[in-house]
Amino acid sequence: MKSMTDPTPNDVFIRLKTMVERHHPRPDMPDFAGSALLDLSIGNPDLAPDLRWRQRLQHFVSRDDLHGYGEFRPDINRHLRQRFAAYYQRRFLPSDAPVLLDPERHVVDLLGSKEGIFYSLLACLTPGETVLMADPSYAVYQSCARLIGARVELFTCDERGQPQLGSLRAEQLAGARVLVICSPNNPTGVELSPGKLREVLDFAQRHDLWVVIDRAYAEISFELQSNGTLGGAALPEPGALSRVLELHSLSKSCGIAGWRIGFAAGAPQLVEKIRAAKFNTDFGTFLPLQCVAAEMLDELETIAARNSIIYAARMRRFVDGAASLGWNIPPSQGTFFLWAPLPPGFAGDDLHFVETLFEATGVLLTPGSGFGSGGAGRVRIALVQSDEILDEALHRLHKWRVTTSTV
């Protein structure tokens, strides 16, 4: 397995951003409608919150007492954490289960779960210690580890996208302090199976590791359990509350990515460290956001179900459209991403494919190698555009393939 002790040579996401900034429509390419940009590369939700929630935010913004530092309204923050704990209880545990989370000890709010990635690693690691991550995985995990001065050791995933912790060698485990997992996974869309989740927790117990589980896409899951709850929660497992931290977010499920609000829940020692770090770097989330987020948590199942239905329909639409072109893409178990092999006729360099496709058609995807060497030969497709745009992207791909096959 590879060790990521050296800086990465190129940040693919910065490269994608540069490509977008330099893009100009191509009037010489009429088959592609001038090649106006169709960006399917970044997971920036296009589904806005219902008008009701925007009105509730306006209501709280209009109050004169909600414009000071969030840190100095512990009553509001306490209520927000209570609502998250209640949400977690009813969404991930059976109805007869005892109360799991203490809002004071087990929950801290975040400026989005991306902030939580950095703070959770900061709480677990000191410079020179090791963090274990899957290959492929969300590039921000490695970026945050490098900011802290930690070493990154990668483990592979099997053909079903499940982590293979047995692939880790003894020297990779030396100095390891934390294991990071994402479920449902960005970029692969794969959820940890119940057996694999227990395996991860057992592995962490044997090697005395903290476990950080990124659950930002937990509510964009296309399968409920028989009792109506969502699967994949680690914190109810025996002993998990002493070593596991889960990261949750309202960004994707509620279409409020720009509002920046999420949660870390789990091990009290890590929660307290995150809370202390945040006190020294920010003074809390904007109070009107805290107020409306507390209300949204009480209805999160309904809000998320609406958006998940839309994403699931888009997934079927794109998978079926791609299949008609001979491009077989497996549907995801969760997230709004598709993790696709390169189309027939293309092989090898996924970044070259992405750049060539973009130059010719204006359709932008994310090269799989941007998530690690394990993603090479694949692309991630973000279904965060309307049906019309997704259809246009498939139309351009079809036209491009016809054009290139006749050259």
Side-chain angles (χ1 to χ4, degrees), residues 37-54:
L37 172 65
L38 303 184
D39 192 351
L40 307 181
S41 68
I42 303 300
N44 185 22
D46 64 313
L47 302 180
D50 285 343
L51 178 60
R52 172 192 171 196
W53 298 113
R54 285 176 269 180

Side-chain angles (χ1 to χ4, degrees), residues 19-20 22-29 32 34-38 351-365 396 400:
M19 289 166 61
V20 170
R22 294 178 178 176
H23 175 72
H24 298 287
R26 295 273 302 280
D28 59 317
M29 301 289 285
F32 305 117
S35 294
L37 172 65
L38 303 184
L351 179 57
H352 176 70
F353 167 76
V354 166
E355 290 178 326
T356 303
L357 175 67
F358 182 65
E359 176 67 18
T361 70
V363 177
L364 185 62
L365 310 178
R396 292 187 192 183
W400 179 51

